[in-house]
Structures are given as C-alpha cells and as structure tokens.
Amino acid sequence: MRRAPILFAFIALSLSLYAAAQADDAGLDLQCLEQAYPGAVAAARGPGGGLELALPGGARLPYDDGRPKSPEEALQNPSLKDMMDQVYPLGPDGREPGPDFSPGRRRVTAFFTALYGETKAGVMEKTVSVDFAGKRLRFSGLYGAAEALRAVGQEIAALLAARPDLKKYVSPASTLAFRAIAGENRLSMHALGIAVDLNPKLGPYWGWSAPGTPSPANSYPLQIVEIFERHGFIWGGKWSRFDLMHFEYRPELLCKSRRLRGEQK
Ligand SMILES: [Zn+2]
C-alpha cells in the first residue's frame, strides 16, 4: 500500500496535463503521440497554459492553434489537433470515405522533419536497408519504422507464397523520393523515408485519375492492407483523395484507432 500515494500523485499529474483538455481527444492524441515516438516527444504546458508537444531539438508545437479552418486549410496548415482529428478506420471499415475524409493526409511538417530529418542528407543517414518481399528498400531506422516494414515484408512474402496472384499488387515497390506531394507543395512522407508505394499500375492516385473517378479501393486486396495496418501503417486507399499504392508509417494514428476501439495498444 505504500506505493498508493505515489500512484495517485502520478495519476493526478497525468490528469491535470491531459484531462483539462482543450478538446475531447486532446489527452488521447497526446498519449498516442508520446507512445508512437517514445522518448522523442513529450506533452507539456506552454507559458500560457495551453497544451504543447516538445520535439527533438527543443522546439515546441502547440497542440491546438485555435483557428477554425476549412477542410483545405486543415490539410495545408494543420495543427497537431487537426492532424489527429480524423480517426483512421482500421480493417474492412471505411472504404467509401466521405468528402474531405482523408485520415493521415493532414501532416504537421515541422513535427515530422524534427523527428526524421530536416535535410535529404539528414534523412538519408538515418535510413537502413530492409528486405521487403525479395527487394531491398531504404527506410528510416527511427522509431521502429524499419522494423515495422521488415515485419510487413515477411508477412507479405508468406501471403504471396499462398496467393501468388497477389504478387502483381506488391511489385514493384519503392520508398524514398525527395519530392513534394504530386501536384502540391507539401512535403511527401517519401522524402522522410517512412512511406512505401506498391505497384502504381494497380494502386491508382486520385490526382492522376480523371476528375470524378470513384476510388477503386473496394477491389484492392484487403489482406495486404491488413498486414500493413497491423504494423503501424495507414493506407491511402481509405482517403477521399485516394492513393491506393501508398502506405505510410503513422503509429500515432493507429494507436488512436485502437484505443477508441477499446484495445490497449
Ligand atoms: Zn506514396
């Protein structure tokens, strides 16, 4: 029983940080950010009392910038709250997303460059070579990203051994590309070594499709998607602006999805 006061003090401190929330999900969002990037980011109170996230290198980002935004503004200039707001639908759900529902497309650039590198050289020096279904791919060695891709590759290889007809979806796969998102100025997660594209011929991108083209997500093999999700990746096939070839390491979003389903991790 001697440990109880310490435990209660810890819980009280956690509650004061998390539960005096500026938004219903603030506590969960910050917990998932801390859990996804352990030791690298930490929730804190700013000088004005607002919730902030301390980043590697010492910079701090406000959790909520307090600005109402149109869907396009939330995409182009999101806060951490905006970034975490749309809950990624795990598993077979959500394959017909409503307009402007693209969970994971809102990304706070300063957050990701602080984590993975500010320059091409800085990113590259943290990448490692990963065996992915018989091919060597370079991927970030930080925060479990490379280990996650390696685990995905092993499960995909086992899947393809049983289902060789699915091989055409997986190959060719690529990861690094130092460019902005096609047709936009925003930094691509391929520039940070945390995204993988499978065969683009069978994984179309909305921006390269004729206007109004419905997403073909329902005909994409769910077995492949579920393997990636199990290891911390989101799939661009669940976005209204669909990108079926695209998988991205975003453990903070899968943490939130699982916690809201009552799972513990
Ligand atoms: Zn991609």
Side-chain angles (χ1 to χ4, degrees):
M1 293 303 287
R2 286 178 56 217
R3 296 176 65 181
I6 298 170
L7 181 63
F8 284 126
F10 176 75
I11 291 170
L13 181 68
S14 299
L15 289 177
S16 68
L17 195 57
Y18 291 126
Q22 294 153 314
D24 291 339
D25 285 351
L28 179 57
D29 289 350
L30 291 166
Q31 283 175 14
C32 280
L33 286 162
E34 288 183 336
Q35 181 183 310
Y37 307 99
V41 303
R45 287 275 178 202
L51 289 168
E52 296 183 341
L53 198 67
L55 303 177
R60 286 181 166 216
L61 285 175
Y63 167 72
D64 181 2
D65 60 17
R67 294 195 295 115
K69 291 170 193 159
S70 68
E72 195 58 30
E73 287 167 334
L75 187 65
Q76 297 299 335
N77 193 17
S79 64
L80 291 170
K81 178 178 185 294
D82 299 326
M83 182 173 94
M84 298 294 292
D85 185 46
Q86 295 186 333
V87 179
Y88 180 82
L90 274 168
D93 299 334
R95 295 226 273 176
E96 288 176 24
D100 302 316
F101 186 74
S102 294
R105 278 195 91 230
R106 295 175 181 172
R107 308 175 184 95
V108 178
T109 300
F111 172 78
F112 289 104
T113 55
L115 286 173
Y116 290 105
E118 305 276 349
T119 62
K120 179 178 175 180
V123 169
M124 277 304 289
E125 102 188 357
K126 299 294 186 187
T127 63
V128 297
S129 181
V130 175
D131 181 53
F132 181 84
K135 189 177 175 186
R136 304 297 297 182
L137 297 176
R138 289 209 77 81
F139 215 60
S140 178
L142 297 169
Y143 313 114
E147 288 86 347
L149 185 65
R150 193 172 292 121
V152 168
Q154 287 169 353
E155 289 195 34
I156 295 260
L159 172 67
L160 297 185
R163 291 285 309 273
D165 56 306
L166 298 183
K167 189 161 192 244
K168 59 182 185 281
Y169 287 93
V170 174
S171 190
S174 62
T175 49
L176 285 175
F178 293 92
R179 54 167 164 74
I181 294 171
E184 300 186 28
N185 291 321
R186 299 185 305 129
L187 184 71
S188 162
M189 295 295 103
H190 290 283
L192 299 179
I194 56 167
V196 52
D197 284 343
L198 303 187
N199 185 1
K201 289 207 176 100
L202 292 174
Y205 172 61
W206 73 279
W208 299 338
S209 305
T213 302
S215 170
N218 279 323
S219 58
Y220 202 84
L222 191 61
Q223 300 97 317
I224 293 173
V225 176
E226 287 182 325
I227 289 172
F228 273 98
E229 289 180 351
R230 197 152 48 241
H231 295 287
F233 289 78
I234 60 169
W235 177 44
K238 292 183 174 175
W239 299 342
S240 55
R241 292 181 180 180
F242 58 86
D243 188 356
L244 269 64
M245 75 188 90
H246 182 87
F247 294 86
E248 177 175 325
Y249 184 64
R250 299 291 298 280
E252 74 280 14
L253 297 178
L254 296 191
C255 166
K256 183 171 183 178
S257 305
R258 293 201 174 100
R259 294 281 192 92
L260 290 173
R261 290 187 355 171
E263 298 171 26
Q264 281 310 302
K265 53 174 204 165

